[in-house]
PDB file of all heavy atoms in Angstrom:
ATOM      1  N   GLY A1159      12.059  -3.671   0.778  1.00 94.00           N
ATOM      2  CA  GLY A1159      12.660  -2.572   0.023  1.00 94.00           C
ATOM      3  C   GLY A1159      11.778  -1.337   0.048  1.00 94.00           C
ATOM      4  O   GLY A1159      10.570  -1.421   0.315  1.00 94.00           O
ATOM      5  N   LEU A1160      12.391  -0.198  -0.186  1.00 96.00           N
ATOM      6  CA  LEU A1160      11.669   1.068  -0.186  1.00 96.00           C
ATOM      7  C   LEU A1160      11.745   1.701  -1.570  1.00 96.00           C
ATOM      8  O   LEU A1160      12.828   1.950  -2.093  1.00 96.00           O
ATOM      9  CB  LEU A1160      12.272   2.031   0.843  1.00 96.00           C
ATOM     10  CG  LEU A1160      12.156   1.618   2.315  1.00 96.00           C
ATOM     11  CD1 LEU A1160      13.007   2.534   3.193  1.00 96.00           C
ATOM     12  CD2 LEU A1160      10.700   1.641   2.769  1.00 96.00           C
ATOM     13  N   ASP A1161      10.591   1.929  -2.156  1.00 97.00           N
ATOM     14  CA  ASP A1161      10.475   2.574  -3.464  1.00 97.00           C
ATOM     15  C   ASP A1161       9.933   3.984  -3.218  1.00 97.00           C
ATOM     16  O   ASP A1161       8.771   4.151  -2.833  1.00 97.00           O
ATOM     17  CB  ASP A1161       9.523   1.769  -4.346  1.00 97.00           C
ATOM     18  CG  ASP A1161       9.427   2.327  -5.766  1.00 97.00           C
ATOM     19  OD1 ASP A1161       9.759   3.502  -5.968  1.00 97.00           O
ATOM     20  OD2 ASP A1161       9.004   1.574  -6.667  1.00 97.00           O
ATOM     21  N   ILE A1162      10.780   5.010  -3.386  1.00 98.00           N
ATOM     22  CA  ILE A1162      10.416   6.394  -3.044  1.00 98.00           C
ATOM     23  C   ILE A1162      10.435   7.257  -4.302  1.00 98.00           C
ATOM     24  O   ILE A1162      11.432   7.298  -5.026  1.00 98.00           O
ATOM     25  CB  ILE A1162      11.402   6.971  -2.008  1.00 98.00           C
ATOM     26  CG1 ILE A1162      11.438   6.079  -0.755  1.00 98.00           C
ATOM     27  CG2 ILE A1162      11.023   8.396  -1.637  1.00 98.00           C
ATOM     28  CD1 ILE A1162      12.564   6.425   0.213  1.00 98.00           C
ATOM     29  N   THR A1163       9.312   7.909  -4.566  1.00 97.00           N
ATOM     30  CA  THR A1163       9.205   8.824  -5.702  1.00 97.00           C
ATOM     31  C   THR A1163       8.968  10.231  -5.182  1.00 97.00           C
ATOM     32  O   THR A1163       8.163  10.435  -4.264  1.00 97.00           O
ATOM     33  CB  THR A1163       8.057   8.408  -6.641  1.00 97.00           C
ATOM     34  OG1 THR A1163       8.299   7.085  -7.114  1.00 97.00           O
ATOM     35  CG2 THR A1163       7.944   9.353  -7.829  1.00 97.00           C
ATOM     36  N   ILE A1164       9.658  11.199  -5.772  1.00 97.00           N
ATOM     37  CA  ILE A1164       9.562  12.596  -5.342  1.00 97.00           C
ATOM     38  C   ILE A1164       9.048  13.447  -6.504  1.00 97.00           C
ATOM     39  O   ILE A1164       9.546  13.347  -7.625  1.00 97.00           O
ATOM     40  CB  ILE A1164      10.938  13.126  -4.897  1.00 97.00           C
ATOM     41  CG1 ILE A1164      11.472  12.299  -3.733  1.00 97.00           C
ATOM     42  CG2 ILE A1164      10.861  14.587  -4.499  1.00 97.00           C
ATOM     43  CD1 ILE A1164      12.940  12.505  -3.497  1.00 97.00           C
ATOM     44  N   LEU A1165       8.046  14.280  -6.208  1.00 97.00           N
ATOM     45  CA  LEU A1165       7.459  15.168  -7.214  1.00 97.00           C
ATOM     46  C   LEU A1165       7.296  16.558  -6.614  1.00 97.00           C
ATOM     47  O   LEU A1165       6.840  16.696  -5.480  1.00 97.00           O
ATOM     48  CB  LEU A1165       6.084  14.659  -7.651  1.00 97.00           C
ATOM     49  CG  LEU A1165       6.015  13.272  -8.298  1.00 97.00           C
ATOM     50  CD1 LEU A1165       4.588  12.742  -8.249  1.00 97.00           C
ATOM     51  CD2 LEU A1165       6.514  13.336  -9.729  1.00 97.00           C
ATOM     52  N   GLY A1166       7.661  17.583  -7.383  1.00 96.00           N
ATOM     53  CA  GLY A1166       7.493  18.951  -6.921  1.00 96.00           C
ATOM     54  C   GLY A1166       6.567  19.723  -7.843  1.00 96.00           C
ATOM     55  O   GLY A1166       6.677  19.630  -9.070  1.00 96.00           O
ATOM     56  N   SER A1167       5.664  20.503  -7.265  1.00 96.00           N
ATOM     57  CA  SER A1167       4.792  21.357  -8.077  1.00 96.00           C
ATOM     58  C   SER A1167       5.630  22.244  -8.989  1.00 96.00           C
ATOM     59  O   SER A1167       6.735  22.659  -8.631  1.00 96.00           O
ATOM     60  CB  SER A1167       3.935  22.251  -7.171  1.00 96.00           C
ATOM     61  OG  SER A1167       3.079  21.494  -6.356  1.00 96.00           O
ATOM     62  N   ASN A1168       5.098  22.527 -10.147  1.00 94.00           N
ATOM     63  CA  ASN A1168       5.808  23.392 -11.092  1.00 94.00           C
ATOM     64  C   ASN A1168       6.212  24.731 -10.473  1.00 94.00           C
ATOM     65  O   ASN A1168       7.220  25.327 -10.859  1.00 94.00           O
ATOM     66  CB  ASN A1168       4.934  23.665 -12.324  1.00 94.00           C
ATOM     67  CG  ASN A1168       4.765  22.436 -13.203  1.00 94.00           C
ATOM     68  OD1 ASN A1168       5.465  21.444 -13.048  1.00 94.00           O
ATOM     69  ND2 ASN A1168       3.826  22.515 -14.126  1.00 94.00           N
ATOM     70  N   ASP A1169       5.415  25.192  -9.493  1.00 93.00           N
ATOM     71  CA  ASP A1169       5.652  26.512  -8.906  1.00 93.00           C
ATOM     72  C   ASP A1169       7.038  26.652  -8.272  1.00 93.00           C
ATOM     73  O   ASP A1169       7.520  27.768  -8.083  1.00 93.00           O
ATOM     74  CB  ASP A1169       4.586  26.807  -7.840  1.00 93.00           C
ATOM     75  CG  ASP A1169       3.182  26.622  -8.369  1.00 93.00           C
ATOM     76  OD1 ASP A1169       2.759  27.442  -9.192  1.00 93.00           O
ATOM     77  OD2 ASP A1169       2.520  25.643  -7.979  1.00 93.00           O
ATOM     78  N   PHE A1170       7.676  25.544  -7.916  1.00 93.00           N
ATOM     79  CA  PHE A1170       8.999  25.626  -7.290  1.00 93.00           C
ATOM     80  C   PHE A1170      10.086  26.013  -8.294  1.00 93.00           C
ATOM     81  O   PHE A1170      11.155  26.463  -7.900  1.00 93.00           O
ATOM     82  CB  PHE A1170       9.377  24.286  -6.658  1.00 93.00           C
ATOM     83  CG  PHE A1170       8.646  23.988  -5.375  1.00 93.00           C
ATOM     84  CD1 PHE A1170       7.543  23.149  -5.359  1.00 93.00           C
ATOM     85  CD2 PHE A1170       9.069  24.546  -4.173  1.00 93.00           C
ATOM     86  CE1 PHE A1170       6.873  22.868  -4.174  1.00 93.00           C
ATOM     87  CE2 PHE A1170       8.412  24.275  -2.988  1.00 93.00           C
ATOM     88  CZ  PHE A1170       7.302  23.437  -2.988  1.00 93.00           C
ATOM     89  N   TYR A1171       9.813  25.804  -9.576  1.00 90.00           N
ATOM     90  CA  TYR A1171      10.852  25.971 -10.601  1.00 90.00           C
ATOM     91  C   TYR A1171      10.484  27.071 -11.581  1.00 90.00           C
ATOM     92  O   TYR A1171       9.311  27.358 -11.810  1.00 90.00           O
ATOM     93  CB  TYR A1171      11.065  24.659 -11.349  1.00 90.00           C
ATOM     94  CG  TYR A1171      11.434  23.520 -10.430  1.00 90.00           C
ATOM     95  CD1 TYR A1171      10.481  22.595 -10.029  1.00 90.00           C
ATOM     96  CD2 TYR A1171      12.730  23.386  -9.946  1.00 90.00           C
ATOM     97  CE1 TYR A1171      10.807  21.560  -9.166  1.00 90.00           C
ATOM     98  CE2 TYR A1171      13.075  22.358  -9.093  1.00 90.00           C
ATOM     99  CZ  TYR A1171      12.108  21.452  -8.692  1.00 90.00           C
ATOM    100  OH  TYR A1171      12.438  20.433  -7.829  1.00 90.00           O
ATOM    101  N   SER A1172      11.501  27.665 -12.165  1.00 89.00           N
ATOM    102  CA  SER A1172      11.275  28.702 -13.158  1.00 89.00           C
ATOM    103  C   SER A1172      11.113  28.073 -14.542  1.00 89.00           C
ATOM    104  O   SER A1172      12.010  27.399 -15.038  1.00 89.00           O
ATOM    105  CB  SER A1172      12.457  29.680 -13.192  1.00 89.00           C
ATOM    106  OG  SER A1172      12.303  30.578 -14.268  1.00 89.00           O
ATOM    107  N   TYR A1173       9.944  28.294 -15.132  1.00 90.00           N
ATOM    108  CA  TYR A1173       9.687  27.829 -16.505  1.00 90.00           C
ATOM    109  C   TYR A1173       9.589  29.011 -17.465  1.00 90.00           C
ATOM    110  O   TYR A1173       9.037  28.893 -18.559  1.00 90.00           O
ATOM    111  CB  TYR A1173       8.400  26.993 -16.538  1.00 90.00           C
ATOM    112  CG  TYR A1173       8.532  25.668 -15.826  1.00 90.00           C
ATOM    113  CD1 TYR A1173       8.172  25.544 -14.492  1.00 90.00           C
ATOM    114  CD2 TYR A1173       9.056  24.554 -16.475  1.00 90.00           C
ATOM    115  CE1 TYR A1173       8.306  24.336 -13.825  1.00 90.00           C
ATOM    116  CE2 TYR A1173       9.194  23.342 -15.816  1.00 90.00           C
ATOM    117  CZ  TYR A1173       8.823  23.239 -14.495  1.00 90.00           C
ATOM    118  OH  TYR A1173       8.966  22.041 -13.837  1.00 90.00           O
ATOM    119  N   ARG A1174      10.139  30.125 -17.034  1.00 89.00           N
ATOM    120  CA  ARG A1174      10.078  31.355 -17.830  1.00 89.00           C
ATOM    121  C   ARG A1174      10.697  31.161 -19.216  1.00 89.00           C
ATOM    122  O   ARG A1174      10.127  31.566 -20.234  1.00 89.00           O
ATOM    123  CB  ARG A1174      10.783  32.467 -17.067  1.00 89.00           C
ATOM    124  CG  ARG A1174      10.704  33.826 -17.731  1.00 89.00           C
ATOM    125  CD  ARG A1174      11.577  34.830 -16.979  1.00 89.00           C
ATOM    126  NE  ARG A1174      11.541  36.106 -17.659  1.00 89.00           N
ATOM    127  CZ  ARG A1174      10.812  37.140 -17.273  1.00 89.00           C
ATOM    128  NH1 ARG A1174      10.055  37.058 -16.212  1.00 89.00           N
ATOM    129  NH2 ARG A1174      10.845  38.276 -17.956  1.00 89.00           N
TER     130      ARG A1174
END
Side-chain angles (χ1 to χ4, degrees):
L1160 295 170
D1161 184 339
I1162 303 169
T1163 301
I1164 300 164
L1165 299 162
S1167 297
N1168 290 347
D1169 307 290
F1170 285 100
Y1171 303 100
S1172 173
Y1173 291 93
R1174 184 187 177 101

